[in-house]
Structures are given as C-alpha cells and as structure tokens.
Amino acid sequence: MADSIEIRASVRGDLPAIEMLYQNAFPNEDLLPLVRALLQEEIETLSLVGTVEETIVSNAIFTACGIVKTDFKVSLLGPLAVAVERQQQGFGSAMVRNGLQRLENVGVTHVYVLGDPAYYSRFGFMPESKVTPPYPLPEEWRGAWQSIALGHAEALRHGELFVPQPWLQQALWAP
C-alpha cells in the first residue's frame, strides 16, 4: 500500500528503471522521448521516484515553466507513472501530494496539468481558463487543462504558459 512507499528525488542512475516503468504503465504511448529529454537535458525539473523495498514503482515529473510577461514561478506536472501492479493503491496520489508540497516549499505559486479531471480534482486542481497551454487544445480536452494555486498565491489574471523545449511538441497537446 501507499504507506510503504519511500519518495525521493530521482538521480541519473534511476533512468533505466524509470524508462521501464513508463513502458510498463503506458504500453500504447511513447513517453520515453519526453521523459529522457526532461531528465537528461539541462531543464529545471523536480523528478520524484517512489520506491518500495528499493524498487522504483512510481515517477512524477514537475517541469519549471513560466507565464509569458510575468515573474510567477510555476510548474507543469507530467508525466506521472505508477507500475501496473501498484495502481489503485494510492502511490500516484502520494507522488502528487509530495511534489506539490516540495514545490510550495520553494516558492512555486501554481502548478498546471493536462490530465483526467476526475483524478486531479482530488488534489484541488480546477479547470483552467485564464492561462493557456502552448498549443490550442481540442474541444474535448478543454476540461483536462487544470491548475492549482499553492499556499496563498494570488490568482493569475490571463497569460500563456511558457514551457521548455521538450514540451514544445504539438502531439503532446492533442490526440
């Protein structure tokens, strides 16, 4: 169960296990190029791994981003993976909560995610309409674009999310 998970920042030597985790959790999606770019390039990320008895069973990546023409410190959550045999046991939730707390502790004010509203709403994510993603979303995905304000962050008025190069692939933002 999730209470047996140890969460720590990933290290370079974790990459092979993280790659296997994504291949297992998402057999019909090729997230490896994105994961590799986020973890191997000089991009500011918070990459967390969850381990059980020293085996990596989950990974969450939070990428430092910005809002065009502002100085807000924001992050983009994703991807997030949990080993198939550990899903539905609270491991993903533990990873998200731990990451949000770590980000709040270093002054991040808002976190964005493109994901299942039924899943991410449990953490306080709400539909986002003021800050737009780097590419237009298909109508059926609009509710999946969400955000959460951390701590006592002031509300953002309007803006566009600025993302690092690995996220500038339109295929990541459309079916």
Side-chain angles (χ1 to χ4, degrees):
M1 297 307 152
D3 57 351
S4 65
I5 193 172
E6 296 284 331
I7 299 174
R8 63 171 172 78
S10 69
V11 296
R12 190 169 288 275
D14 293 333
L15 187 58
I18 291 171
E19 289 176 346
M20 288 182 60
L21 175 68
Y22 279 93
Q23 289 173 325
N24 177 286
F26 299 100
N28 298 322
E29 294 181 52
D30 187 9
L31 294 172
L32 291 183
L34 174 64
V35 170
R36 287 178 185 133
L38 292 173
L39 298 182
Q40 292 180 324
E41 294 180 18
E42 295 297 319
I43 296 169
E44 186 180 346
T45 62
L46 170 61
S47 173
L48 300 174
V49 292
T51 63
V52 174
E53 298 176 3
E54 298 184 28
T55 299
I56 293 175
V57 298
S58 54
N59 175 247
I61 302 175
F62 298 82
T63 305
C65 297
I67 305 297
V68 175
K69 296 184 182 178
T70 75
D71 59 356
F72 283 98
K73 191 173 178 182
V74 303
S75 187
L76 178 63
L77 167 56
L80 167 67
V82 176
V84 173
E85 66 275 9
R86 300 290 183 166
Q87 293 177 4
Q88 306 290 320
Q89 298 176 30
F91 289 89
S93 294
M95 299 295 290
V96 172
R97 286 189 177 96
N98 187 287
L100 293 176
Q101 186 60 61
R102 288 175 187 234
L103 292 171
E104 183 177 347
N105 291 345
V106 297
V108 171
T109 61
H110 297 82
V111 177
Y112 297 86
V113 68
L114 181 61
D116 181 1
Y119 182 77
Y120 289 101
S121 65
R122 71 179 77 177
F123 310 108
F125 282 88
M126 307 273 298
E128 177 59 60
S129 61
K130 295 178 180 175
V131 173
T132 59
Y135 295 98
L137 298 175
E139 190 59 41
E140 65 270 19
W141 285 23
R142 294 278 160 86
W145 181 238
Q146 303 158 81
S147 68
I148 185 171
L150 302 179
H152 301 289
E154 73 178 75
L156 293 176
R157 291 177 181 80
H158 291 282
E160 180 182 339
L161 187 70
F162 175 79
V163 297
Q165 186 62 40
W167 282 106
L168 290 175
Q169 301 172 51
Q170 192 165 6
L172 295 171
W173 303 90

